[in-house]
Amino acid sequence: MSDVFDRAAQAIAGADGLFIGAGAGMGVDSGLPDFRGNEGFWRAYPPFQARGLRFVDLANPRWFNDDPQLAWGFYGHRQNLYRDTAPHDGFQILRRWATELSGGAFAFTSNVDGHFQRAGFDAESVYECHGSIHHLQCSRPCRDAIWPAGDTDVDVNETFRAREPLPVCPGCQRVARPNILMFGDGGWLNERSDGQARRLQSWLRTVKRPAVIELGAGTAVPTVRWQSEQLAARFGVELVRVNPREAQGPRGTIGIECGALEALTEIDKCLRQRSD
């Protein structure tokens, strides 16, 4: 695949900014599950298989009313996992590329793990389109308030149920929930993500030829793929799409069929060779 790595390096070398689209596959090399299909999800959460509960069943705000210990068992475990897992070295490769481009970088991600910020990306240059597990809101909601989870600690037992006390809204004392867009979610407060969206649009006005690289974004929830394709078409640049199973794309796409860390490492080698 040396040819596609070199083509990707050429696209980045000729850019004045870096747009990064990241899906669940971006976190796989850090050791995070990607929940691809029911079997993948149940491997990560065996007790839910016995109940026939899929990811799409659990990622639903109704559980915070119907069974908050189940809801926080699922989201509390994920919050703890994301805190305990270090972002892989590919994040640092992207950061280094950004420092070498006049326009820097902006990350657009459907991941809620906060790993771009954890890896040192400026929080003002990250758009989390599905929200963040590290921010909370009221499950009702009683008001338009979003607050950092901070050191909120949720104790989760071996059956993935949370023990009391659960996080609560400081306004009404009702159980709180992560500020994440879930399935069938009419109560998600999107003000924080909307602010990030506005900052992305401001950044796009500062660049003329950004490189567009997409990492681990699948077709099941195609938000990141759509955004990446739209921007590549808008600026008339090639889309670098990294995905071990779904690397195909519109005409002109540089499809790289491997994981994010491997692709970033190989592209970086090509960039270094070009500069030598």
Side-chain angles (χ1 to χ4, degrees):
M1 291 195 294
S2 59
D3 179 57
V4 291
F5 293 137
D6 191 61
R7 286 177 58 201
Q10 184 176 352
I12 294 164
D16 63 350
L18 181 66
F19 173 85
I20 306 160
M26 181 64 174
V28 170
D29 290 313
S30 300
L32 297 176
D34 67 356
F35 304 147
R36 182 179 174 84
N38 293 333
E39 294 302 320
F41 175 66
W42 286 332
R43 277 195 298 271
Y45 293 96
F48 296 139
Q49 182 175 13
R51 298 184 57 178
L53 292 172
R54 304 164 299 165
F55 175 78
V56 295
D57 299 321
L58 285 158
N60 190 303
R62 74 179 181 89
W63 293 110
F64 289 93
N65 295 318
D66 297 349
D67 191 344
Q69 288 182 307
L70 175 68
W72 269 112
F74 178 52
Y75 281 102
H77 176 267
R78 290 176 65 193
Q79 185 183 72
N80 295 336
L81 177 64
Y82 297 156
R83 285 173 173 169
D84 294 342
T85 302
H88 60 75
D89 291 342
F91 287 89
Q92 298 308 319
I93 292 173
L94 290 167
R95 281 191 66 202
R96 179 157 40 78
W97 293 351
T99 64
E100 297 168 357
L101 301 175
S102 60
F106 209 107
F108 176 91
T109 180
S110 58
N111 299 333
V112 300
D113 52 31
H115 274 199
F116 276 98
Q117 296 92 323
R118 176 101 171 268
F121 279 77
D122 184 353
E124 298 294 297
S125 298
V126 180
Y127 177 7
E128 298 158 301
C129 62
H130 292 168
S132 167
I133 205 165
H134 304 297
H135 289 78
L136 305 178
Q137 65 167 84
C138 179
S139 60
R140 185 176 294 172
C142 69
R143 56 184 183 148
D144 293 336
I146 302 168
W147 63 93
D151 58 359
T152 299
D153 183 34
V154 180
D155 185 17
V156 180
N157 68 21
E158 64 279 359
T159 65
F160 295 101
R161 291 188 66 82
R163 298 183 177 94
E164 299 285 351
L166 304 178
V168 297
C169 171
C172 68
Q173 300 305 304
R174 188 183 182 93
V175 67
R177 52 164 278 189
N179 180 232
I180 291 173
L181 177 61
M182 304 177 194
F183 294 97
D185 197 348
W188 181 54
L189 300 177
N190 58 2
E191 180 180 350
R192 179 174 176 275
S193 291
D194 284 353
Q196 295 174 332
R198 290 191 291 272
R199 288 192 289 275
L200 170 58
Q201 292 306 314
S202 295
W203 178 79
L204 289 171
R205 289 192 287 272
T206 70
V207 293
K208 294 182 179 179
R209 187 176 176 79
V212 179
I213 184 166
E214 177 194 293
L215 302 149
T219 57
V221 182
T223 313
V224 175
R225 291 172 74 94
W226 288 345
Q227 181 71 58
S228 300
E229 290 174 7
Q230 179 188 53
L231 287 184
R234 170 178 166 180
F235 286 96
V237 299
E238 293 174 301
L239 165 62
V240 180
R241 170 165 283 162
V242 177
N243 194 300
R245 291 173 293 265
E246 299 170 318
Q248 74 282 357
R251 185 175 181 178
T253 297
I254 302 172
I256 303 178
E257 295 182 343
C258 66
L261 179 56
E262 179 185 354
L264 292 171
T265 301
E266 293 302 321
I267 296 168
D268 191 51
K269 289 178 182 178
C270 294
L271 281 168
R272 289 172 181 272
Q273 290 170 0
R274 294 173 66 90
S275 62
D276 288 344

